[in-house]
Amino acid sequence: MYFLPEKLDDYVVSHSEEEPELLQQLTRETYQKILQPIMLSGPYQGRVLSMISKLIRPKTILELGTFTGYATLCLAEGLQAHGEIDTIDVNEELVDFQRKYFNKSNYGKQIHQHLGSAIDIIPTLDKTFDLVFIDADKPNYVNYFNLIISKLNPGGIILSDNVLWHGKVVEPVDEKDHSTKAVLEFNTLLKNDKRIETVLLPIRDGLTISRKI
């Protein structure tokens, strides 16, 4: 989803940080072997995630929705020296693919994979987080927020992806379109919840930054 004219978008990308070689390899193999490769964060958004993480310097990161591990590695670039990232996904077939690239990176030992429903796994994580990235199934976005807000440290950041949902958030909603309805509900929650302050950025398919007060 492009919200800028293509030429201007190309200019933005060409004047931003380059995508690391390892992530280029991950992208190529994802497109060769994995269904729905469009789910990758992509080089520009990946550099945005990396920059935000580097600015925060988190000790603990929680990611909901690993896919092939692209965003995981981008977020890991900002980890403190002994920091850790817990990443959750339901797709058993992707675990080995993810681990291959995690181990090729400098962060392999700092990345902990969890297989299963985030709804079930989040309550079992006995830690709090400085940074959370939500990029999983949209109908559960509100549920994820309610589970993680108490585990987010004061001043901690929640990054939420796909919050513009291909532009559908400003179109008439089909009652059967549960994902769009869920994203609209989630965006309203982030706007109104007094425990956080929120800015929605029109980056690709929409990226919200919420800071716990």
Side-chain angles (χ1 to χ4, degrees):
M1 190 71 176
Y2 291 86
F3 295 100
L4 292 174
E6 188 172 353
K7 285 185 178 180
L8 192 55
D9 191 87
D10 289 342
Y11 182 86
V12 170
V13 172
S14 68
H15 287 77
S16 298
E17 197 68 20
E18 295 289 334
E19 180 184 35
E21 172 60 30
L22 179 62
L23 293 180
Q24 293 178 34
Q25 294 174 17
L26 189 160
T27 297
R28 284 194 295 269
E29 189 169 356
T30 298
Y31 271 86
Q32 289 168 355
K33 299 179 179 179
I34 307 299
L35 294 175
Q36 294 184 300
I38 196 172
M39 290 172 62
L40 283 172
S41 291
Y44 176 66
Q45 183 168 324
R47 292 305 88 203
V48 172
L49 295 177
S50 171
M51 181 65 77
I52 292 172
S53 186
K54 288 172 181 175
L55 290 170
I56 297 169
R57 296 294 293 154
K59 185 175 181 180
T60 50
I61 299 175
L62 174 63
E63 180 186 39
L64 310 182
T66 317
F67 192 46
T68 56
Y70 189 101
T72 320
L73 291 172
C74 294
L75 293 167
E77 292 176 24
L79 277 173
Q80 294 182 25
H82 300 289
E84 297 180 315
I85 178 167
D86 290 271
T87 183
I88 304 172
D89 203 280
V90 297
N91 193 336
E92 184 176 1
E93 295 179 356
L94 294 178
V95 172
D96 292 340
F97 186 102
Q98 298 159 5
R99 178 47 59 184
K100 179 175 73 172
Y101 280 94
F102 294 161
N103 288 345
K104 285 183 176 183
S105 76
N106 295 325
Y107 317 104
K109 294 181 179 179
Q110 297 170 269
I111 301 174
H112 308 297
Q113 295 162 280
H114 302 272
L115 178 64
S117 166
I119 297 292
D120 298 327
I121 293 171
I122 292 170
T124 71
L125 300 175
D126 188 21
K127 62 177 74 174
T128 57
F129 298 95
D130 300 315
L131 175 60
V132 177
F133 182 44
I134 304 177
D135 187 19
D137 57 309
K138 310 313 166 208
N140 271 314
Y141 264 34
V142 169
N143 294 328
Y144 295 146
F145 176 85
N146 289 330
L147 285 171
I148 64 177
I149 189 64
S150 63
K151 291 180 174 289
L152 187 67
N153 292 322
I157 299 295
I158 300 173
L159 301 175
S160 309
D161 200 15
N162 305 118
V163 291
L164 293 179
W165 202 229
H166 317 299
K168 293 181 181 180
V169 292
V170 293
E171 301 296 335
V173 181
D174 184 337
E175 284 302 310
K176 297 179 181 179
D177 185 353
H178 301 297
S179 291
T180 300
K181 290 168 64 178
V183 171
L184 287 167
E185 181 183 359
F186 179 71
N187 290 343
T188 300
L189 170 63
L190 295 186
K191 170 65 176 176
N192 294 332
D193 195 299
K194 300 305 181 183
R195 293 170 292 182
I196 57 174
E197 51 186 0
T198 291
V199 175
L200 196 162
L201 304 177
I203 294 173
R204 291 300 190 263
D205 198 26
L207 180 71
T208 294
I209 303 177
S210 303
R211 175 183 176 271
K212 188 172 181 180
I213 298 172

